[in-house]
């Protein structure tokens, strides 16, 4: 059974009051939670790694709870999410893909109205690399006001034999969203799209 010992956890939070235009009635809130973990597959090719997703489920739950707390503790108010991974240089992109189920489903299980796919980004990179975690509406992928990203980085990682796993969440769409399309208030939430 693979082991993913945690070296460091971090949470980043921000409130966006305006983006060059008038101040919002309620600021947009975004947060990201990250964990630097040892990559048990670093430096070698392993054919069968899919089962390792089960070993990461507790980490997905931990990061999810920290994000909900950072965004005020009310999961009902969170309406945007995304996930990502930066794999250290002794790993491969597929090691980042291990995060799809434990990261995405941890959020979907805790957030009401979360039918939409969880957007994702991953890459292989070194110390201090940044990753733009894509964010989308939790219940309907076509809500344009929630198309966004939150940038994450760990100055001391990932080390070559580590993975930086990340989750992102938000409350509200972009402060000055005005690109039309399906609005959050029009979501029916039947298929994860509209």
């Amino acid at each position: 059974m693979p082991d993913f010992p945690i070296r460091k956890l971090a949470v980043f939070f921000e409130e966006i009051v305006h983006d060059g235009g008038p101040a919002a009635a309620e600021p947009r809130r975004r947060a990201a939670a990250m964990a630097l973990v040892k990559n048990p597959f670093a430096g070698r090719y392993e054919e069968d790694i899919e089962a390792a997703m089960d070993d990461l489920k507790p980490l997905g739950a931990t990061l999810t709870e920290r994000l909900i707390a950072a965004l005020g503790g009310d999961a009902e108010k969170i309406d945007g999410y995304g996930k990502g991974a930066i794999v250290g240089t002794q790993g491969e992109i597929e090691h980042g893909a291990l995060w799809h189920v434990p990261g995405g489903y941890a959020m979907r299980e805790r957030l009401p109205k979360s039918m939409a796919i969880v957007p994702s980004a991953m890459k292989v990179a070194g110390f201090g690399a940044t990753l733009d975690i894509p964010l989308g509406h939790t219940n309907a992928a076509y809500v344009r006001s929630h198309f966004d990203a939150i940038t994450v980085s760990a100055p001391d990682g990932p080390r070559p034999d580590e993975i930086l796993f990340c989750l992102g969440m938000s409350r509200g769409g972009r402060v000055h969203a005005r690109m039309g399309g399906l609005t959050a208030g029009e979501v029916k939430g039947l298929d994860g799209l509209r």
Side-chain angles (χ1 to χ4, degrees), residues 36-127:
L36 278 166
V37 304
K38 181 87 167 170
N39 181 354
F41 306 111
R44 63 186 171 84
Y45 177 80
E46 181 73 35
E47 180 65 34
D48 186 11
I49 63 173
E50 186 178 346
M53 286 191 285
D54 286 339
D55 300 304
L56 288 166
K57 286 181 179 178
L59 180 60
T62 295
L63 295 184
T64 295
E65 293 306 319
R66 291 191 181 208
L67 276 176
I68 292 170
L71 289 167
D74 186 351
E76 294 272 345
K77 293 185 178 179
I78 295 168
D79 61 356
Y81 57 15
K83 64 186 183 302
I86 304 175
V87 180
T89 56
Q90 288 181 0
E92 59 178 285
I93 195 74
E94 202 65 8
H95 302 159
L98 289 168
W99 195 229
H100 286 311
V101 170
Y105 280 84
M107 291 189 292
R108 292 180 77 173
E109 288 169 4
R110 279 290 281 121
L111 300 177
K113 300 179 183 174
S114 57
M115 300 232 357
I117 191 166
V118 181
S120 181
M122 58 190 160
K123 66 182 182 180
V124 175
F127 273 66

